[in-house]
Structures are given as structure tokens and as C-alpha cells.
Amino acid sequence: MSRLVVRFVTVICLWGSILNAQNLNQLSFIPSDGVAFAVKAQGNHLYFVDWRGSSSLFISVDMSNPNQPVVEDSLLMAGFAVEFDLNGQYAYLAMADNEFGLRILDISAPAAIKEIVFIEMGEIFGTFFKDDTLYVTSGGVGAFDASQPDTLKFLWSYNSNATGDGIDVFVFEGHSYLSVDRGGLFIIDNATHDLVGTLAAPEIIEVFVVNENLLFFTDATSGLVAVDIRDPHHPSLLDTITGSGAFAFGVEAAGNFVYFCNGPNGLKTVDFSQPTDLNLKDTFAPEGIFAIHLALKDSLIFLASGDYDETGNFINGIYILKNDFVTAIREPGPPAPQSFVLEQNHPNPFNPETLIRYSLPFGGDVRLEIYNLLGQKIRTLFNTNRPKGSYTERWNGKDDSGRSAAAGLYIYKMTFRDHLQARKMLLVR
């Protein structure tokens, strides 16, 4: 068993006071025979890993009716799938015990999950997919071109072995934010592949970037930590919410709230409207819970609970919660877009970067690409599935190889389902 898994299993569970959740209400529960571990939501489906020691089940669930979830299929795999990420019809699983490597599944038909390929890579702890690039954590972080999922192409890597293993990674605005076991938070420039900033933390686990200013990570010693990342070269601590029981793991954020898993102390909800003064708002902690991971989808929370210390005292499965914070407390946002719109970039002309805004009237596959006047594609900014809403994408004036594009006129094209829109922009040097 890996050192990481041993460390998790031997966590001492100290029971703290349990708050009665006021805005997190249970709708249903999906029981599992093993530890319900990693969990993700996409469209009307939920996917989670049921860990059973030497093997794992990857399970798909139809969530069309959250009050009555329906398990559609499961795939038994050798080894421990400690984490995974989704990209449309594919799932990328990090295998961190018994059978080390990356497992890629086809989930285009959730009722008929298929394995595409298993790639031996050594022990992997995390995966993160963004813009056709797959980021994998192990002895640091590695980036792979995943435009063809069955033939990954290595792009670059950063090795953190001298300090500790790379555990989790979140990619945002050209930087990889890497949690390093015993090392803390490492910030890597994706263009140069250099370490540009660090923040010490004794036992950092998961990372979530909210925006260009704010990042959260969970630390098994400290709990939930808010970090100022306005200057990636000099990240700074803003505030901490102590995690009881020496266990803080999964973390997600939406609106003005961040949610983190605190083992036997349940799921905690924190208001970060003032990041320097975090405010614990609610806790969901029914008897028998051991909160490990979570996923957010609209007004729903999917919470994985598992018997981590193998005593038989904890309940294994997925809690489906109605999250009233998204309507009861959060300020209303702008109205949902009514049509597919690709706006003119700003600034235009630009040097060295520009912003591209777009709106989706409903969820679906969307792709944004940049072409030169010869019709040659020079950059794919992203190719993914996104929910309805308004978005902003940044182009730094570089091609897919990281080289600076020449001055001149370019065309950016967005494909959304069967719709196509295109606009021109001028890069000056």
C-alpha cells in the first residue's frame, strides 16, 4: 500500500462538536460496499469511485431525479483509483496503489462504461484536465496532450521529488498550482515550466483556484487555508478555518462559499466574501459520516463518505444534498444568457494578451480556436463541455507550442454544438 494511502488510513479521528446543517439538506443516499472516494458530476450524471482495497469500482449514476438516483453501470478495476477528472466522454483515473498508472475510460454511454487504455506511469495521485491537456501528479506534475485520449503525448513536467510527491494540481491562467506532500503549495509557470512561487504548509492535500486573486487548499494539520495569488511569485496566507480531527481533504467553491471535507466532522461550508475573515456558516455531519470528497452541480452537492479507518463505524456511500446557500444567501447573479454569443475581444488591437467573452444559452460541447489568415490553426484555447453561462477566456498571444505568435491579423472561432461564430483580432508587437 502506498505511503499516501497509509497516511490517510491511519488518521486519528477526534470527534468534535457536530452542527446541525440549516442550508444543506439531504435528498437521498447511494450506499456503497467499499469506501466512496473520488466523486465528479457532469450533465445529468454522477460518477464515483468505490474503493475495495485491492480493487475499485467506477460507478455511473443517473441524477435526472436527485431524490431517486439510479445506478447505471459499474466497472471493476484492479488497484486504487485515488482521483479522476472528466472531459466530455472520457474519464482519466489516477491509480495510486497495487496497479500504478493512468486508466482512461470511455463514458460516452454512462450505462456501458468501457476502458480504453491503461498507461503505466508509476504511482499517480491526481489528474486535472484543461484545454485538451491532461495534468498528472506523481513525483511532481506532468502535462500531456490528450486531444487523442488513447495516444497521450508528453509535453513537459516539473519534478518536486526533492521536497515531496505532487498530490493535487489545479491549472489556472497559465500556472499550475501544485500541492506537494511535506512541501506546501508550489506555483509553476506552464510556459517556462519553472517554479515561480511557493507557500509552506505541513501536509497540504487538495487545491482549488477561485479566481485570479484567490486560492484555497486543505491541509491535514491546519484545515482550510485561503491564499492570495494576485502575484503568483509571492503567494500569501489570508486566513484559516481549523479542521477538527486532523483531517481536511476535498475542497470546492462556488459563489461566495467554499466547501471542504473534514472526515468525521462532516462537510463544512465557509463564507469567503471577506477572504481575510473566513466565516464558518454550516456543517453537514450526520452520525456515521466520514467526509472525503465532494462535487458541486448547480444547487446540488455530492458528498463521498467512507470507512477510512476500517473500524466499521462509518457509513459508506454518496450523500446527495440540496444546497440552499445558492439561493438563500448568495446575491443573485446576472440573468442566464438567451443565445449563443461570441463577443469582440478586448483590447483590440492587443499586446501581449487579450480577453474573449462568450455566452452559452445551455450546456454543451464548446471549442475555441485561433487561426492565422492562411487558415492554419495555431492555438486551441479549450475543447470541453461547459454548463450554460457567460465566460471570459484569455489568450496570451502564444501558439500551442508556447511560442509567441507573430504580429498580424488572426481569426478566433468558437464551435458550440452545431453552431459556429468567428471574429477577427489584431496582434501588434
Side-chain angles (χ1 to χ4, degrees):
M1 183 177 288
S2 74
R3 175 174 52 79
L4 177 67
V5 175
V6 169
R7 186 186 71 205
F8 289 161
V9 172
T10 57
V11 167
I12 298 175
C13 301
L14 302 177
W15 288 83
S17 60
I18 296 179
L19 304 178
N20 292 321
Q22 301 297 316
N23 291 278
L24 306 176
N25 300 300
Q26 183 175 339
L27 298 179
S28 54
F29 181 79
I30 306 170
S32 61
D33 293 331
V35 176
F37 202 78
V39 58
K40 301 284 184 182
Q42 180 175 266
N44 289 328
H45 282 83
L46 172 73
Y47 303 88
F48 72 96
V49 169
D50 178 354
W51 178 40
R52 304 185 175 193
S54 61
S55 63
S56 302
L57 274 180
F58 184 81
I59 299 173
S60 64
V61 183
D62 186 338
M63 294 300 304
S64 300
N65 182 356
N67 295 287
Q68 295 181 322
V70 178
V71 173
E72 288 202 319
D73 196 18
S74 62
L75 180 68
L76 182 64
M77 308 167 293
F80 177 23
V82 67
E83 178 61 292
F84 68 93
D85 203 3
L86 304 175
N87 172 44
Q89 64 180 346
Y90 302 108
Y92 302 85
L93 282 65
M95 309 301 295
D97 195 28
N98 297 332
E99 188 166 324
F100 302 149
L102 178 72
R103 199 179 298 277
I104 304 176
L105 308 182
D106 183 344
I107 58 171
S108 56
I113 303 170
K114 298 181 294 185
E115 180 171 322
I116 297 177
V117 66
F118 174 77
I119 304 172
E120 293 185 5
M121 288 187 177
E123 193 170 28
I124 298 177
F125 300 125
T127 58
F128 186 92
F129 194 95
K130 184 177 176 63
D131 302 341
D132 274 344
T133 301
L134 178 69
Y135 299 84
V136 174
T137 62
S138 183
V141 61
F144 297 83
D145 180 347
S147 55
Q148 299 295 326
D150 56 345
T151 55
L152 295 182
K153 178 183 177 182
F154 174 76
L155 297 175
W156 61 269
S157 66
Y158 175 83
N159 191 327
S160 65
N161 271 335
T163 305
D165 286 322
I167 304 300
D168 187 46
V169 65
F170 198 107
V171 179
F172 185 82
E173 298 291 357
H175 291 87
S176 291
Y177 296 84
L178 176 69
S179 65
V180 177
D181 183 29
R182 305 185 311 277
L185 176 69
F186 281 33
I187 303 177
I188 298 136
D189 186 317
N190 288 354
T192 65
H193 317 148
D194 294 330
L195 179 68
V196 296
T198 61
L199 183 67
E203 203 167 0
I204 187 171
I205 305 295
E206 285 213 352
V207 179
F208 189 95
V209 179
V210 177
N211 52 43
E212 64 272 14
N213 300 322
L214 182 63
L215 170 149
F216 287 99
F217 67 74
T218 50
D219 184 277
T221 301
S222 304
L224 177 73
V225 180
V227 180
D228 185 336
I229 56 169
R230 285 176 292 182
D231 179 2
H233 294 81
H234 301 95
S236 59
L237 176 67
L238 293 173
D239 198 11
T240 299
I241 291 284
T242 301
S244 305
F247 189 97
F249 202 97
V251 58
E252 296 275 346
N256 288 330
F257 296 92
V258 60
Y259 308 80
F260 77 101
C261 295
N262 195 201
N265 299 283
L267 174 69
K268 296 191 174 182
T269 305
V270 176
D271 184 341
F272 66 84
S273 53
Q274 297 293 330
T276 56
D277 186 19
L278 300 178
N279 183 14
L280 179 63
K281 300 295 291 186
D282 209 350
T283 296
F284 176 80
E287 184 176 356
I289 196 171
F290 198 106
I292 302 173
H293 263 125
L294 77 149
L296 304 178
K297 178 70 167 60
D298 300 328
S299 62
L300 297 177
I301 299 176
F302 306 100
L303 178 61
S305 170
D307 182 10
Y308 234 134
D309 68 354
E310 300 177 347
T311 64
N313 295 327
F314 298 116
I315 295 174
N316 298 326
I318 304 291
Y319 291 91
I320 294 93
L321 310 178
K322 178 70 166 61
N323 182 12
D324 291 335
F325 278 109
V326 299
T327 55
I329 297 179
R330 189 174 64 188
E331 291 296 323
Q338 300 301 310
S339 60
F340 170 42
V341 177
L342 178 63
E343 298 183 15
Q344 185 65 53
N345 65 300
H346 178 79
N348 189 42
F350 67 97
N351 180 25
E353 60 182 32
T354 188
L355 299 177
I356 301 172
R357 295 183 173 87
Y358 62 98
S359 298
L360 308 178
F362 38 80
D365 293 332
V366 58
R367 181 172 71 251
L368 180 58
E369 299 168 317
I370 298 172
Y371 292 80
N372 61 24
L373 290 183
L374 297 177
Q376 298 167 323
K377 184 176 69 174
I378 67 164
R379 181 71 182 271
T380 300
L381 288 177
F382 60 81
N383 182 11
T384 187
N385 185 286
R386 286 187 173 164
K388 67 178 181 180
S390 297
Y391 300 87
T392 300
E393 191 71 22
R394 185 188 305 271
W395 184 41
N396 60 5
K398 296 183 179 180
D399 63 17
D400 280 331
S401 299
R403 297 185 296 265
S404 295
L409 194 63
Y410 291 89
I411 299 172
Y412 58 101
K413 297 181 181 180
M414 175 166 283
T415 304
F416 173 60
R417 294 193 172 186
D418 57 349
H419 303 285
L420 173 66
Q421 290 188 21
R423 288 183 178 271
K424 296 178 181 179
M425 58 183 170
L426 180 61
L427 172 60
V428 296
R429 296 293 187 186

mmCIF file of all heavy atoms in Angstrom, residues 42-44 296-299 330 333-341 358-366 382 384-392 414 416-417:
data_model
loop_
_atom_site.group_PDB
_atom_site.id
_atom_site.type_symbol
_atom_site.label_atom_id
_atom_site.label_comp_id
_atom_site.label_asym_id
_atom_site.label_seq_id
_atom_site.Cartn_x
_atom_site.Cartn_y
_atom_site.Cartn_z
ATOM 1 N N GLN A 42 -21.234 15.491 -14.037
ATOM 2 C CA GLN A 42 -21.193 16.016 -15.401
ATOM 3 C C GLN A 42 -22.555 15.805 -16.039
ATOM 4 O O GLN A 42 -23.039 14.679 -16.120
ATOM 5 C CB GLN A 42 -20.108 15.314 -16.221
ATOM 6 C CG GLN A 42 -19.997 15.795 -17.658
ATOM 7 C CD GLN A 42 -18.839 15.155 -18.390
ATOM 8 O OE1 GLN A 42 -17.747 15.703 -18.458
ATOM 9 N NE2 GLN A 42 -19.063 13.973 -18.957
ATOM 10 N N GLY A 43 -23.177 16.900 -16.494
ATOM 11 C CA GLY A 43 -24.502 16.785 -17.067
ATOM 12 C C GLY A 43 -25.477 16.240 -16.040
ATOM 13 O O GLY A 43 -25.517 16.702 -14.894
ATOM 14 N N ASN A 44 -26.256 15.262 -16.430
ATOM 15 C CA ASN A 44 -27.226 14.639 -15.521
ATOM 16 C C ASN A 44 -26.666 13.403 -14.836
ATOM 17 O O ASN A 44 -27.435 12.617 -14.266
ATOM 18 C CB ASN A 44 -28.503 14.254 -16.286
ATOM 19 C CG ASN A 44 -29.309 15.467 -16.697
ATOM 20 O OD1 ASN A 44 -29.309 16.483 -16.007
ATOM 21 N ND2 ASN A 44 -29.985 15.371 -17.832
ATOM 22 N N LEU A 296 -19.780 19.666 -6.842
ATOM 23 C CA LEU A 296 -20.882 20.622 -6.879
ATOM 24 C C LEU A 296 -21.502 20.627 -8.267
ATOM 25 O O LEU A 296 -20.803 20.571 -9.272
ATOM 26 C CB LEU A 296 -20.387 22.030 -6.551
ATOM 27 C CG LEU A 296 -19.649 22.228 -5.220
ATOM 28 C CD1 LEU A 296 -19.197 23.674 -5.083
ATOM 29 C CD2 LEU A 296 -20.521 21.831 -4.045
ATOM 30 N N LYS A 297 -22.829 20.722 -8.323
ATOM 31 C CA LYS A 297 -23.550 20.818 -9.597
ATOM 32 C C LYS A 297 -24.821 21.627 -9.360
ATOM 33 O O LYS A 297 -25.753 21.151 -8.723
ATOM 34 C CB LYS A 297 -23.886 19.425 -10.130
ATOM 35 C CG LYS A 297 -24.687 19.423 -11.442
ATOM 36 C CD LYS A 297 -23.835 19.897 -12.595
ATOM 37 C CE LYS A 297 -24.486 19.615 -13.945
ATOM 38 N NZ LYS A 297 -25.802 20.262 -14.112
ATOM 39 N N ASP A 298 -24.820 22.879 -9.832
ATOM 40 C CA ASP A 298 -25.954 23.766 -9.627
ATOM 41 C C ASP A 298 -26.254 23.862 -8.127
ATOM 42 O O ASP A 298 -25.380 24.246 -7.363
ATOM 43 C CB ASP A 298 -27.163 23.292 -10.440
ATOM 44 C CG ASP A 298 -26.875 23.267 -11.935
ATOM 45 O OD1 ASP A 298 -26.086 24.120 -12.397
ATOM 46 O OD2 ASP A 298 -27.419 22.400 -12.639
ATOM 47 N N SER A 299 -27.455 23.487 -7.707
ATOM 48 C CA SER A 299 -27.816 23.587 -6.287
ATOM 49 C C SER A 299 -27.653 22.266 -5.555
ATOM 50 O O SER A 299 -28.194 22.081 -4.458
ATOM 51 C CB SER A 299 -29.265 24.066 -6.152
ATOM 52 O OG SER A 299 -30.161 23.136 -6.740
ATOM 53 N N ARG A 330 -26.620 33.688 -1.275
ATOM 54 C CA ARG A 330 -25.806 34.302 -2.309
ATOM 55 C C ARG A 330 -26.589 35.370 -3.063
ATOM 56 O O ARG A 330 -27.767 35.191 -3.378
ATOM 57 C CB ARG A 330 -25.312 33.235 -3.285
ATOM 58 C CG ARG A 330 -24.277 33.746 -4.260
ATOM 59 C CD ARG A 330 -23.714 32.619 -5.090
ATOM 60 N NE ARG A 330 -24.735 32.019 -5.914
ATOM 61 C CZ ARG A 330 -24.541 30.919 -6.614
ATOM 62 N NH1 ARG A 330 -23.407 30.283 -6.538
ATOM 63 N NH2 ARG A 330 -25.507 30.425 -7.363
ATOM 64 N N GLY A 333 -27.094 36.504 -9.397
ATOM 65 C CA GLY A 333 -26.155 36.853 -10.455
ATOM 66 C C GLY A 333 -26.889 37.422 -11.653
ATOM 67 O O GLY A 333 -28.108 37.645 -11.616
ATOM 68 N N PRO A 334 -26.183 37.664 -12.736
ATOM 69 C CA PRO A 334 -26.808 38.187 -13.936
ATOM 70 C C PRO A 334 -27.742 37.153 -14.535
ATOM 71 O O PRO A 334 -27.585 35.955 -14.302
ATOM 72 C CB PRO A 334 -25.623 38.465 -14.855
ATOM 73 C CG PRO A 334 -24.542 37.558 -14.364
ATOM 74 C CD PRO A 334 -24.733 37.466 -12.892
ATOM 75 N N PRO A 335 -28.737 37.578 -15.313
ATOM 76 C CA PRO A 335 -29.658 36.614 -15.918
ATOM 77 C C PRO A 335 -28.925 35.675 -16.862
ATOM 78 O O PRO A 335 -27.906 36.019 -17.455
ATOM 79 C CB PRO A 335 -30.647 37.506 -16.682
ATOM 80 C CG PRO A 335 -29.908 38.796 -16.905
ATOM 81 C CD PRO A 335 -29.024 38.958 -15.710
ATOM 82 N N ALA A 336 -29.449 34.455 -16.966
ATOM 83 C CA ALA A 336 -28.832 33.467 -17.837
ATOM 84 C C ALA A 336 -28.907 33.934 -19.284
ATOM 85 O O ALA A 336 -29.905 34.523 -19.708
ATOM 86 C CB ALA A 336 -29.545 32.126 -17.695
ATOM 87 N N PRO A 337 -27.849 33.703 -20.068
ATOM 88 C CA PRO A 337 -27.872 34.131 -21.475
ATOM 89 C C PRO A 337 -28.955 33.398 -22.250
ATOM 90 O O PRO A 337 -29.249 32.234 -21.986
ATOM 91 C CB PRO A 337 -26.477 33.759 -21.971
ATOM 92 C CG PRO A 337 -25.997 32.705 -21.029
ATOM 93 C CD PRO A 337 -26.596 33.035 -19.709
ATOM 94 N N GLN A 338 -29.552 34.101 -23.223
ATOM 95 C CA GLN A 338 -30.649 33.537 -24.008
ATOM 96 C C GLN A 338 -30.193 33.017 -25.367
ATOM 97 O O GLN A 338 -30.963 32.364 -26.059
ATOM 98 C CB GLN A 338 -31.733 34.611 -24.197
ATOM 99 C CG GLN A 338 -32.321 35.116 -22.903
ATOM 100 C CD GLN A 338 -32.963 34.012 -22.090
ATOM 101 O OE1 GLN A 338 -33.758 33.245 -22.615
ATOM 102 N NE2 GLN A 338 -32.601 33.922 -20.825
ATOM 103 N N SER A 339 -28.956 33.351 -25.759
ATOM 104 C CA SER A 339 -28.470 32.914 -27.065
ATOM 105 C C SER A 339 -26.954 32.721 -27.016
ATOM 106 O O SER A 339 -26.286 33.194 -26.096
ATOM 107 C CB SER A 339 -28.845 33.923 -28.149
ATOM 108 O OG SER A 339 -28.269 35.191 -27.866
ATOM 109 N N PHE A 340 -26.445 32.025 -28.012
ATOM 110 C CA PHE A 340 -25.004 31.799 -28.145
ATOM 111 C C PHE A 340 -24.364 33.068 -28.713
ATOM 112 O O PHE A 340 -24.701 33.485 -29.822
ATOM 113 C CB PHE A 340 -24.775 30.598 -29.058
ATOM 114 C CG PHE A 340 -23.347 30.394 -29.477
ATOM 115 C CD1 PHE A 340 -22.299 30.536 -28.575
ATOM 116 C CD2 PHE A 340 -23.046 30.043 -30.783
ATOM 117 C CE1 PHE A 340 -20.992 30.340 -28.965
ATOM 118 C CE2 PHE A 340 -21.737 29.833 -31.183
ATOM 119 C CZ PHE A 340 -20.710 29.989 -30.271
ATOM 120 N N VAL A 341 -23.440 33.661 -27.964
ATOM 121 C CA VAL A 341 -22.830 34.925 -28.356
ATOM 122 C C VAL A 341 -21.317 34.835 -28.181
ATOM 123 O O VAL A 341 -20.834 34.459 -27.103
ATOM 124 C CB VAL A 341 -23.371 36.109 -27.530
ATOM 125 C CG1 VAL A 341 -22.654 37.390 -27.911
ATOM 126 C CG2 VAL A 341 -24.874 36.258 -27.740
ATOM 127 N N TYR A 358 -17.785 35.185 -24.049
ATOM 128 C CA TYR A 358 -18.800 34.451 -24.781
ATOM 129 C C TYR A 358 -19.892 33.984 -23.826
ATOM 130 O O TYR A 358 -19.678 33.914 -22.603
ATOM 131 C CB TYR A 358 -18.196 33.264 -25.532
ATOM 132 C CG TYR A 358 -17.559 32.214 -24.650
ATOM 133 C CD1 TYR A 358 -18.255 31.063 -24.298
ATOM 134 C CD2 TYR A 358 -16.264 32.372 -24.183
ATOM 135 C CE1 TYR A 358 -17.685 30.096 -23.494
ATOM 136 C CE2 TYR A 358 -15.675 31.415 -23.380
ATOM 137 C CZ TYR A 358 -16.389 30.279 -23.041
ATOM 138 O OH TYR A 358 -15.819 29.329 -22.227
ATOM 139 N N SER A 359 -21.059 33.678 -24.376
ATOM 140 C CA SER A 359 -22.203 33.245 -23.580
ATOM 141 C C SER A 359 -22.826 32.007 -24.190
ATOM 142 O O SER A 359 -22.953 31.895 -25.417
ATOM 143 C CB SER A 359 -23.259 34.355 -23.499
ATOM 144 O OG SER A 359 -22.733 35.509 -22.867
ATOM 145 N N LEU A 360 -23.222 31.067 -23.331
ATOM 146 C CA LEU A 360 -23.866 29.831 -23.759
ATOM 147 C C LEU A 360 -25.273 29.780 -23.191
ATOM 148 O O LEU A 360 -25.451 29.892 -21.973
ATOM 149 C CB LEU A 360 -23.069 28.610 -23.281
ATOM 150 C CG LEU A 360 -21.565 28.580 -23.613
ATOM 151 C CD1 LEU A 360 -20.936 27.330 -23.029
ATOM 152 C CD2 LEU A 360 -21.349 28.654 -25.113
ATOM 153 N N PRO A 361 -26.310 29.589 -24.016
ATOM 154 C CA PRO A 361 -27.681 29.565 -23.512
ATOM 155 C C PRO A 361 -28.029 28.278 -22.779
ATOM 156 O O PRO A 361 -29.011 28.215 -22.042
ATOM 157 C CB PRO A 361 -28.519 29.717 -24.790
ATOM 158 C CG PRO A 361 -27.664 29.111 -25.862
ATOM 159 C CD PRO A 361 -26.244 29.448 -25.481
ATOM 160 N N PHE A 362 -27.248 27.246 -23.003
ATOM 161 C CA PHE A 362 -27.417 25.967 -22.317
ATOM 162 C C PHE A 362 -26.093 25.223 -22.396
ATOM 163 O O PHE A 362 -25.168 25.635 -23.112
ATOM 164 C CB PHE A 362 -28.553 25.127 -22.927
ATOM 165 C CG PHE A 362 -28.643 25.208 -24.422
ATOM 166 C CD1 PHE A 362 -27.790 24.464 -25.228
ATOM 167 C CD2 PHE A 362 -29.568 26.034 -25.026
ATOM 168 C CE1 PHE A 362 -27.857 24.547 -26.601
ATOM 169 C CE2 PHE A 362 -29.650 26.125 -26.408
ATOM 170 C CZ PHE A 362 -28.790 25.374 -27.202
ATOM 171 N N GLY A 363 -25.990 24.147 -21.641
ATOM 172 C CA GLY A 363 -24.736 23.419 -21.590
ATOM 173 C C GLY A 363 -24.463 22.620 -22.852
ATOM 174 O O GLY A 363 -25.380 22.274 -23.604
ATOM 175 N N GLY A 364 -23.191 22.327 -23.084
ATOM 176 C CA GLY A 364 -22.832 21.512 -24.238
ATOM 177 C C GLY A 364 -21.352 21.593 -24.552
ATOM 178 O O GLY A 364 -20.594 22.292 -23.872
ATOM 179 N N ASP A 365 -20.944 20.856 -25.574
ATOM 180 C CA ASP A 365 -19.552 20.861 -26.006
ATOM 181 C C ASP A 365 -19.233 22.195 -26.683
ATOM 182 O O ASP A 365 -19.982 22.661 -27.545
ATOM 183 C CB ASP A 365 -19.281 19.713 -26.975
ATOM 184 C CG ASP A 365 -19.392 18.356 -26.298
ATOM 185 O OD1 ASP A 365 -19.154 18.299 -25.085
ATOM 186 O OD2 ASP A 365 -19.718 17.371 -26.984
ATOM 187 N N VAL A 366 -18.109 22.782 -26.300
ATOM 188 C CA VAL A 366 -17.729 24.083 -26.853
ATOM 189 C C VAL A 366 -16.222 24.086 -27.089
ATOM 190 O O VAL A 366 -15.461 23.509 -26.304
ATOM 191 C CB VAL A 366 -18.165 25.233 -25.919
ATOM 192 C CG1 VAL A 366 -17.549 25.078 -24.538
ATOM 193 C CG2 VAL A 366 -17.839 26.583 -26.521
ATOM 194 N N PHE A 382 -9.468 25.970 -25.722
ATOM 195 C CA PHE A 382 -10.099 24.902 -24.951
ATOM 196 C C PHE A 382 -11.018 24.102 -25.869
ATOM 197 O O PHE A 382 -11.460 24.569 -26.914
ATOM 198 C CB PHE A 382 -10.880 25.431 -23.739
ATOM 199 C CG PHE A 382 -12.002 26.384 -24.079
ATOM 200 C CD1 PHE A 382 -13.231 25.925 -24.508
ATOM 201 C CD2 PHE A 382 -11.810 27.746 -23.957
ATOM 202 C CE1 PHE A 382 -14.250 26.796 -24.821
ATOM 203 C CE2 PHE A 382 -12.822 28.634 -24.267
ATOM 204 C CZ PHE A 382 -14.050 28.151 -24.700
ATOM 205 N N THR A 384 -14.011 21.509 -24.561
ATOM 206 C CA THR A 384 -14.542 20.861 -23.374
ATOM 207 C C THR A 384 -16.055 20.971 -23.352
ATOM 208 O O THR A 384 -16.683 21.466 -24.296
ATOM 209 C CB THR A 384 -13.926 21.504 -22.112
ATOM 210 O OG1 THR A 384 -14.314 20.766 -20.958
ATOM 211 C CG2 THR A 384 -14.371 22.950 -21.957
ATOM 212 N N ASN A 385 -16.666 20.500 -22.274
ATOM 213 C CA ASN A 385 -18.103 20.609 -22.055
ATOM 214 C C ASN A 385 -18.339 21.599 -20.922
ATOM 215 O O ASN A 385 -17.749 21.458 -19.849
ATOM 216 C CB ASN A 385 -18.688 19.231 -21.710
ATOM 217 C CG ASN A 385 -20.199 19.250 -21.593
ATOM 218 O OD1 ASN A 385 -20.751 19.748 -20.617
ATOM 219 N ND2 ASN A 385 -20.865 18.680 -22.579
ATOM 220 N N ARG A 386 -19.179 22.602 -21.160
ATOM 221 C CA ARG A 386 -19.425 23.625 -20.148
ATOM 222 C C ARG A 386 -20.918 23.850 -19.964
ATOM 223 O O ARG A 386 -21.693 23.756 -20.919
ATOM 224 C CB ARG A 386 -18.738 24.941 -20.530
ATOM 225 C CG ARG A 386 -17.240 24.854 -20.337
ATOM 226 C CD ARG A 386 -16.524 26.148 -20.529
ATOM 227 N NE ARG A 386 -15.130 25.987 -20.162
ATOM 228 C CZ ARG A 386 -14.165 26.819 -20.482
ATOM 229 N NH1 ARG A 386 -14.435 27.897 -21.194
ATOM 230 N NH2 ARG A 386 -12.914 26.596 -20.091
ATOM 231 N N PRO A 387 -21.344 24.175 -18.731
ATOM 232 C CA PRO A 387 -22.752 24.490 -18.494
ATOM 233 C C PRO A 387 -23.101 25.868 -19.041
ATOM 234 O O PRO A 387 -22.221 26.642 -19.428
ATOM 235 C CB PRO A 387 -22.862 24.448 -16.967
ATOM 236 C CG PRO A 387 -21.486 24.769 -16.490
ATOM 237 C CD PRO A 387 -20.549 24.173 -17.504
ATOM 238 N N LYS A 388 -24.394 26.168 -19.068
ATOM 239 C CA LYS A 388 -24.825 27.473 -19.561
ATOM 240 C C LYS A 388 -24.235 28.576 -18.684
ATOM 241 O O LYS A 388 -23.951 28.381 -17.506
ATOM 242 C CB LYS A 388 -26.346 27.570 -19.563
ATOM 243 C CG LYS A 388 -26.983 27.572 -18.175
ATOM 244 C CD LYS A 388 -28.492 27.714 -18.283
ATOM 245 C CE LYS A 388 -29.128 27.732 -16.885
ATOM 246 N NZ LYS A 388 -30.605 27.858 -16.964
ATOM 247 N N GLY A 389 -24.038 29.755 -19.284
ATOM 248 C CA GLY A 389 -23.489 30.875 -18.540
ATOM 249 C C GLY A 389 -22.642 31.763 -19.428
ATOM 250 O O GLY A 389 -22.494 31.527 -20.634
ATOM 251 N N SER A 390 -22.084 32.800 -18.812
ATOM 252 C CA SER A 390 -21.201 33.733 -19.514
ATOM 253 C C SER A 390 -19.778 33.533 -19.025
ATOM 254 O O SER A 390 -19.539 33.357 -17.819
ATOM 255 C CB SER A 390 -21.653 35.173 -19.262
ATOM 256 O OG SER A 390 -22.959 35.384 -19.786
ATOM 257 N N TYR A 391 -18.808 33.561 -19.938
ATOM 258 C CA TYR A 391 -17.430 33.220 -19.627
ATOM 259 C C TYR A 391 -16.470 34.230 -20.254
ATOM 260 O O TYR A 391 -16.812 34.939 -21.206
ATOM 261 C CB TYR A 391 -17.085 31.816 -20.143
ATOM 262 C CG TYR A 391 -17.917 30.705 -19.576
ATOM 263 C CD1 TYR A 391 -19.135 30.357 -20.154
ATOM 264 C CD2 TYR A 391 -17.494 30.010 -18.458
ATOM 265 C CE1 TYR A 391 -19.908 29.332 -19.632
ATOM 266 C CE2 TYR A 391 -18.251 28.971 -17.932
ATOM 267 C CZ TYR A 391 -19.452 28.635 -18.527
ATOM 268 O OH TYR A 391 -20.209 27.618 -17.999
ATOM 269 N N THR A 392 -15.254 34.234 -19.718
ATOM 270 C CA THR A 392 -14.173 35.043 -20.277
ATOM 271 C C THR A 392 -12.941 34.163 -20.425
ATOM 272 O O THR A 392 -12.544 33.482 -19.472
ATOM 273 C CB THR A 392 -13.844 36.243 -19.381
ATOM 274 O OG1 THR A 392 -14.998 37.072 -19.243
ATOM 275 C CG2 THR A 392 -12.703 37.064 -19.985
ATOM 276 N N MET A 414 -15.362 29.968 -32.515
ATOM 277 C CA MET A 414 -15.960 29.185 -31.440
ATOM 278 C C MET A 414 -17.025 28.272 -32.035
ATOM 279 O O MET A 414 -17.916 28.721 -32.759
ATOM 280 C CB MET A 414 -16.566 30.080 -30.365
ATOM 281 C CG MET A 414 -17.308 29.300 -29.285
ATOM 282 S SD MET A 414 -17.675 30.289 -27.823
ATOM 283 C CE MET A 414 -16.049 30.283 -27.046
ATOM 284 N N PHE A 416 -19.981 25.718 -30.904
ATOM 285 C CA PHE A 416 -20.841 25.321 -29.789
ATOM 286 C C PHE A 416 -21.937 24.419 -30.339
ATOM 287 O O PHE A 416 -22.795 24.860 -31.096
ATOM 288 C CB PHE A 416 -21.434 26.549 -29.101
ATOM 289 C CG PHE A 416 -22.456 26.229 -28.042
ATOM 290 C CD1 PHE A 416 -22.118 25.461 -26.942
ATOM 291 C CD2 PHE A 416 -23.756 26.687 -28.166
ATOM 292 C CE1 PHE A 416 -23.061 25.158 -25.971
ATOM 293 C CE2 PHE A 416 -24.705 26.396 -27.194
ATOM 294 C CZ PHE A 416 -24.351 25.632 -26.093
ATOM 295 N N ARG A 417 -21.845 23.122 -29.970
ATOM 296 C CA ARG A 417 -22.739 22.120 -30.545
ATOM 297 C C ARG A 417 -22.640 22.200 -32.069
ATOM 298 O O ARG A 417 -21.582 21.983 -32.632
ATOM 299 C CB ARG A 417 -24.157 22.307 -30.015
ATOM 300 C CG ARG A 417 -24.268 22.021 -28.511
ATOM 301 C CD ARG A 417 -25.697 21.907 -28.062
ATOM 302 N NE ARG A 417 -25.770 21.456 -26.675
ATOM 303 C CZ ARG A 417 -26.908 21.166 -26.054
ATOM 304 N NH1 ARG A 417 -28.059 21.270 -26.700
ATOM 305 N NH2 ARG A 417 -26.893 20.780 -24.803
#
